[in-house]
Amino acid sequence: MSLALCYFLTMISTDYDYYKYHPMPEITNWMTQIAKDHPDVVTIVDYGQTYEKRTISLLKIGLNSEAKKKAIWMDCGIHAREWIAPAFCQYFVKQILQTYKTDPKMEKMMMNMDFYVTPVLNVDGYMYSWQDNTTRLWRKNMSPGPSGCDCNGTDINANFNANWGTIGISFDCCTVAFCGSSPISETETQAVTYFVGSRKEDFLCFLTIHSFSQMLLVPYGHPNFTAPNYNELIEVGLAAADEIKKVHGTHYTVGTPPDVLYANSGSSRDWARQQGIPFSYTFELRDNGTFGFELPEDQIKPSCEEAYEGALYIITYAHDKTFSGAMNTAATALWTMLLAVVYCTFLKAYL
């Protein structure tokens, strides 16, 4: 590696601007530098390939532990035009890496859980949205349409095998809501389905980051189905929205898509909940439509700051429920055993 390249990568780490939008090559270089700067806690995992043969990668972040760990999933950039989402994933990674060395709670969570963060899931579409002003609002991936269709692209977030093709989608391949020719037909969908599905029992949270509308959406997108832990999802979501509001006063609406947005099917959020991952949420970041998908860069910082607090609340809740519950179970078992020993000793002494 040349000295010039080494210097360039070092500058990414020290001077990387988290409050501007970055094209894909810069994000890829940033991921490389983050892994280089934090080799004890960060590794890059390549887990899929796009239609245009680009690699889909994530950052695995966590402290080494001999105990079996749980996991948190976060993906950004499933829709190409939602640039604030990849900006948030980068901010999230920065925050947890800065925090765990001084915050015992974050250190404990990184000891108990691994964070799997995909900064840009729809790599092809994201790169296309950077091409020029005419492509800025591109949403889908770049796969060709079915036979007889002259349009490209499938809505990846309508392509998961969760009530696929039933509501809130289109079979017209030229629309932004085209759900694909079949469930899991897209390479991006396949990558997430295999990676998460093959270790689904490890995941406590599945957080997929979108924009816009300032919402926390819970499963399910289809009005005829209700998540088994719906009440808890709403309760945790409302508490997360309160944490978000504390930062800059931004109000987030919480609910299922049919209740607060629009019915949909084939989403990654719904798929994750059907796989048994208990806390599955879609974050719809700023704003409410003033700028829409073209959120100005001066709103990146406040948007990320508030969303981070919401995500952190959900993650902390899931962690504490899992690991505090495990500790309480162990303590109860220990006390039961001790009481049994005392009781047996008493019987031997007096009988």
Side-chain angles (χ1 to χ4, degrees), residues 198-268:
S198 63
R199 46 180 67 78
K200 59 188 178 183
E201 68 281 354
D202 296 339
F203 283 96
L204 302 178
C205 284
F206 187 100
L207 307 179
T208 180
I209 314 300
H210 293 244
S211 74
F212 60 93
S213 64
Q214 296 168 196
M215 292 181 176
L216 284 175
L217 301 176
V218 307
Y220 287 113
H222 198 297
N224 293 347
F225 298 89
T226 302
N229 61 334
Y230 168 81
N231 290 334
E232 185 179 26
L233 285 167
I234 292 293
E235 180 181 346
V236 173
L238 289 170
D242 285 342
E243 294 302 310
I244 290 171
K245 191 171 185 178
K246 289 176 184 177
V247 183
H248 295 294
T250 305
H251 174 73
Y252 269 56
T253 301
V254 181
T256 64
D259 287 341
V260 300
L261 190 59
Y262 54 81
N264 57 33
S265 57
S267 72
S268 64

Side-chain angles (χ1 to χ4, degrees), residues 28 31-32 43-49 54-60 116-118 191 194-195 199:
T28 300
M31 292 176 69
T32 300
T43 55
I44 295 176
V45 179
D46 299 333
Y47 69 100
Q49 193 175 68
R54 297 185 176 97
T55 301
I56 304 171
S57 303
L58 60 79
L59 295 174
K60 178 183 178 184
Y116 294 87
V117 181
T118 302
Y194 176 75
F195 187 90
R199 46 180 67 78

Side-chain angles (χ1 to χ4, degrees), residues 110-175:
M110 285 181 60
M111 183 64 71
N112 290 332
M113 305 184 302
D114 289 322
F115 293 77
Y116 294 87
V117 181
T118 302
V120 181
L121 178 55
N122 181 7
V123 181
D124 290 348
Y126 184 72
M127 293 186 70
Y128 184 62
S129 74
W130 276 82
Q131 183 172 294
D132 56 48
N133 289 337
T134 68
T135 64
R136 172 64 182 86
L137 295 180
W138 184 259
R139 169 184 170 100
K140 302 183 287 182
N141 67 4
M142 297 301 294
S143 65
S147 177
C149 176
D150 294 330
C151 300
N152 289 340
T154 292
D155 179 359
I156 302 169
N157 201 42
N159 190 241
F160 284 82
N161 193 15
N163 300 315
W164 177 84
T166 55
I167 195 169
I169 52 82
S170 175
F171 288 104
D172 180 349
C173 63
C174 292
T175 65

